[in-house]
Amino acid sequence: MNLSFFDQFSSPSFLGIPLILISMMFPALLLPSLDNRWITNRLSTLQLWFINLVTKQLMMPLDKKGHKWALILTSLMIFLLLINLLGLLPYTFTPTTQLSMNLALAFPLWLATLLTGLRNQPSASLGHLLPEGTPTPLIPALILIETTSLLIRPLALGVRLTANLTAGHLLIQLISTATTALFSTMPMVSLLTFLVLFLLTILEVAVAMIQAYVFVLLLSLYLQENI
């Protein structure tokens, strides 16, 4: 039983071929394609409004130099948001519960922000490793601590996203299993657990949206430190 709870996090395969790429590309098919018509439908208007809202929220902490990253950050936000929300549907697979995928998204973008700072303002970027006014005996220890905290940033991004989504999926499966098991023997208790399951599902929808936003927002803050 314990093993079956974690089976939902294993990458599905067909004839030995992993289907994780299909699950990653499927959200892009849900976005309506742009055309040259001046008058658009409600779905296109809603999509444009949402993209403008997300872009505005992500670009608020950044200077003008960081606005060049608007396309990358907004695309990443929408990509993570759709994958997280689609993963809450029954009989679906959530790629963002895989730590390897989240690290593959976090590490290159974090490294790009770090290299941007080292190229544009190397003194200021290296100055973050040693706070101003540090006593001389504490300099080696503080440099080591700040370097460690800098290097674990991509790991923290990936682990945070993976842990939150994995915990939510496990809770949903545990409570849904309890609801089904208690239905025949204690229907009133099963009804209460179903109510808890409904509220938890609403909470997980909010968590899926918040975690996608936090992931990209932290990347934008890391970018702000280096521009």
Side-chain angles (χ1 to χ4, degrees):
M1 178 64 70
N2 292 334
L3 180 62
S4 64
F5 286 152
F6 292 92
D7 286 344
Q8 60 176 319
F9 303 117
S10 60
S11 177
S13 59
F14 179 72
L15 297 177
I17 303 173
L19 302 180
I20 187 172
L21 292 178
I22 297 179
S23 60
M24 290 174 59
M25 293 186 296
F26 182 74
L29 302 177
L30 301 178
L31 297 176
S33 58
L34 299 178
D35 50 28
N36 295 325
R37 293 182 300 175
W38 286 13
I39 301 177
T40 58
N41 54 22
R42 291 183 178 90
L43 184 59
S44 299
T45 304
L46 181 62
Q47 176 197 9
L48 184 61
W49 171 81
F50 179 74
I51 291 176
N52 288 336
L53 178 64
V54 169
T55 305
K56 184 184 298 184
Q57 292 296 323
L58 293 177
M59 293 299 106
M60 281 177 58
L62 298 179
D63 296 336
K64 275 192 174 182
K65 295 180 181 179
H67 292 179
K68 300 176 183 178
W69 292 62
L71 180 60
I72 298 177
L73 296 179
T74 304
S75 302
L76 180 62
M77 168 73 182
I78 296 175
F79 174 72
L80 292 176
L81 181 62
L82 289 176
I83 284 184
N84 292 348
L85 293 178
L86 289 175
L88 293 175
L89 296 176
Y91 302 103
T92 56
F93 173 70
T94 312
T96 44
T97 57
Q98 305 295 312
L99 182 60
S100 57
M101 175 187 165
N102 295 334
L103 289 179
L105 291 174
F107 183 76
L109 292 172
W110 165 82
L111 185 61
T113 61
L114 183 62
L115 293 179
T116 300
L118 292 176
R119 184 190 66 178
N120 295 335
Q121 45 180 14
S123 299
S125 297
L126 295 176
H128 292 154
L129 302 178
L130 183 63
E132 186 177 356
T134 304
T136 303
L138 297 179
I139 288 179
L142 278 180
I143 291 179
L144 182 60
I145 293 172
E146 292 296 331
T147 303
T148 304
S149 65
L150 178 65
L151 294 178
I152 66 172
R153 281 181 175 181
L155 181 62
L157 283 175
V159 171
R160 181 187 296 108
L161 182 58
T162 303
N164 281 282
L165 295 180
T166 301
H169 283 63
L170 283 176
L171 281 176
I172 288 177
Q173 186 167 0
L174 285 170
I175 296 179
S176 61
T177 303
T179 303
T180 305
L182 295 173
F183 182 74
S184 58
T185 57
M186 293 181 287
M188 291 303 298
V189 178
S190 177
L191 183 62
L192 291 177
T193 55
F194 177 78
L195 179 60
V196 174
L197 177 63
F198 178 74
L199 297 176
L200 180 62
T201 304
I202 297 177
L203 176 63
E204 284 305 311
V205 171
V207 168
M209 300 173 66
I210 291 172
Q211 288 303 316
Y213 175 70
V214 168
F215 187 92
V216 183
L217 179 64
L218 289 176
L219 279 175
S220 66
L221 294 178
Y222 297 159
L223 177 64
Q224 177 61 28
E225 292 181 359
N226 293 284
I227 58 175

